[in-house]
Amino acid sequence: MKLHFPLRLLAAASLAAASFFAQAADVTVAYQTTVDPAKVAQADGSYEKATQAKINWRKFDNGADVIAAIASGDVQIGYLGSSPLTAAITRKVPVQTFLIATQIGAAEALVARDGSGITSPQDLVGKKVAVPFVSTGHYSLLAALKHWNIDPSKVQILNLAPPAIIAAWKRGDIDATYVWDPALGVAKENGKVLITSGELAKFGAPTFDAWIVRKDFAEKHPEIVTAFAKVTLDAYAQYRKDPQAWLANQGNVDKLVKLSGAKASDIPLLLQGNVYPLAADQVVSLGAPTTKAITDTAAFLKEQGKVEAVLPDYAPYVSAKFIPESVSYTHLRAHETRED
């Protein structure tokens, strides 16, 4: 009996310690309704298994809201576009970009409503164009107008979140929108695509989506960030090894539809319109290329009056140290059908 009491105390202490560490590893992750292969891993609970953390997934409609939640400490890991990311780190929000989620192609586009009178870019003058401000769509819209030599002040640019864009489009309150799914799919039902983000990239205005993490969380739990990156990259590798076979699996498509709100028929085009970088690509990109892209975006945002100044160095906000080393990526890369 004398042995049982201290053993019970030891067991209780161990349980309390386990509970403490489990609680310490809890993480809130902000995701958006973009279409990407990693949504399947999210639906399957693969992130929880790999990180051994309790993940609270929170859906956001735009990057500005994601940044606000991360800055407040409510969210530790978040998904957002390059424009809101640039605006955030220009204001020195303490985050690091640890993964390039996608190089945006056809997944974001400027769509003009049928019957709006917009048949060419110049017809946008005087029209109502909705876009979430400080988003990649907003950046791309301004870049497109600059490319077409259209003064933004001559276009009625409205700040609407994607759900509000869907409602406004259905009511006929707006003439055009630069947005992503599911709002993009709704607009394309009775609208014409004027330009995609992939096409804009060829004109010198590339955009990308990224996963970022609060620096304090990354310092305390680097293993969680690394595991999170590995699950994402595994999902990308599985898709890029054989995109057609991946899409032939109806379960994959159904999970994307559930988490993105996109139509099943649109999934193939949306996936094919983006580039999902594998580990080897990430190691290269998460350095000078991403730092330069952010610097260029910051210069553009300053020119447009969206940020007050450009930082002298954006490198501290980008890191490849959480990219796991794995021979499986090299193997898959050698056999994949490259889309870029």
Side-chain angles (χ1 to χ4, degrees), residues 308-333:
E308 294 182 0
V310 176
L311 297 183
D313 185 14
Y314 285 89
Y317 295 89
V318 180
S319 177
K321 67 182 179 181
F322 301 107
I323 301 301
E325 296 181 4
S326 173
V327 295
S328 64
Y329 297 132
T330 303
H331 175 74
L332 285 168
R333 188 176 173 79

Side-chain angles (χ1 to χ4, degrees), residues 81-142:
S82 49
S83 182
L85 168 61
T86 299
I89 60 183
T90 297
R91 298 184 179 101
K92 300 183 179 180
V93 176
V95 297
Q96 276 192 319
T97 305
F98 70 93
L99 195 74
I100 302 302
T102 178
Q103 295 164 348
I104 302 174
E108 292 188 13
L110 174 60
V111 183
R113 171 191 295 284
D114 292 343
S116 65
I118 302 173
T119 57
S120 69
Q122 297 303 320
D123 295 327
L124 290 166
V125 174
K127 296 295 196 282
K128 294 179 180 179
V129 183
V131 64
F133 277 15
V134 201
S135 66
T136 47
H138 190 199
Y139 169 83
S140 295
L141 172 61
L142 294 176

Side-chain angles (χ1 to χ4, degrees), residues 38-49 238 251-252 255 259:
K39 286 270 192 309
V40 172
Q42 180 181 340
D44 289 342
S46 299
Y47 286 99
E48 287 80 355
K49 295 173 185 174
Q238 290 167 13
N252 290 338
K255 290 165 187 173
L259 287 174

Side-chain angles (χ1 to χ4, degrees), residues 61-290:
D61 292 319
N62 57 72
D65 290 345
V66 171
I67 283 296
I70 288 180
S72 71
D74 290 343
V75 167
Q76 290 75 49
I77 295 175
Y79 183 107
L80 77 171
S82 49
S83 182
L85 168 61
T86 299
I89 60 183
T90 297
R91 298 184 179 101
K92 300 183 179 180
V93 176
V95 297
Q96 276 192 319
T97 305
F98 70 93
L99 195 74
I100 302 302
T102 178
Q103 295 164 348
I104 302 174
E108 292 188 13
L110 174 60
V111 183
R113 171 191 295 284
D114 292 343
S116 65
I118 302 173
T119 57
S120 69
Q122 297 303 320
D123 295 327
L124 290 166
V125 174
K127 296 295 196 282
K128 294 179 180 179
V129 183
V131 64
F133 277 15
V134 201
S135 66
T136 47
H138 190 199
Y139 169 83
S140 295
L141 172 61
L142 294 176
L145 293 177
K146 182 178 181 180
H147 174 70
W148 292 322
N149 294 315
I150 298 173
D151 184 347
S153 66
K154 294 183 179 179
V155 179
Q156 297 184 57
I157 303 177
L158 308 177
N159 180 19
L160 294 179
I165 287 176
I166 292 175
W169 187 272
K170 290 181 176 179
R171 290 194 304 267
D173 293 345
I174 54 178
D175 302 303
T177 181
Y178 207 123
V179 74
W180 51 91
D181 266 298
L184 176 60
V186 172
K188 288 196 296 187
E189 288 179 359
N190 60 333
K192 172 188 176 183
V193 174
L194 295 182
I195 196 167
T196 69
S197 293
E199 292 167 339
L200 259 177
K202 298 175 183 177
F203 298 135
T207 51
F208 62 89
D209 286 344
W211 281 106
I212 64 173
V213 60
R214 281 185 60 97
K215 287 185 177 181
D216 55 358
F217 182 84
E219 290 170 0
K220 292 178 182 177
H221 303 288
E223 75 288 348
I224 290 179
V225 184
T226 299
F228 192 98
K230 186 178 187 306
V231 171
T232 306
L233 292 170
D234 281 343
Y236 290 177
Q238 290 167 13
Y239 168 74
R240 288 186 58 169
K241 183 180 180 181
D242 191 341
Q244 295 306 316
W246 194 95
L247 284 165
N249 183 332
Q250 190 59 42
N252 290 338
V253 175
D254 290 343
K255 290 165 187 173
L256 285 185
V257 169
K258 180 180 178 181
L259 287 174
S260 71
K263 293 181 178 180
S265 58
D266 289 339
I267 295 295
L269 177 62
L270 293 171
L271 285 173
Q272 292 161 11
N274 294 333
V275 176
Y276 306 99
L278 301 184
D281 303 311
Q282 298 281 350
V283 172
V284 174
S285 294
L286 290 168
T290 296

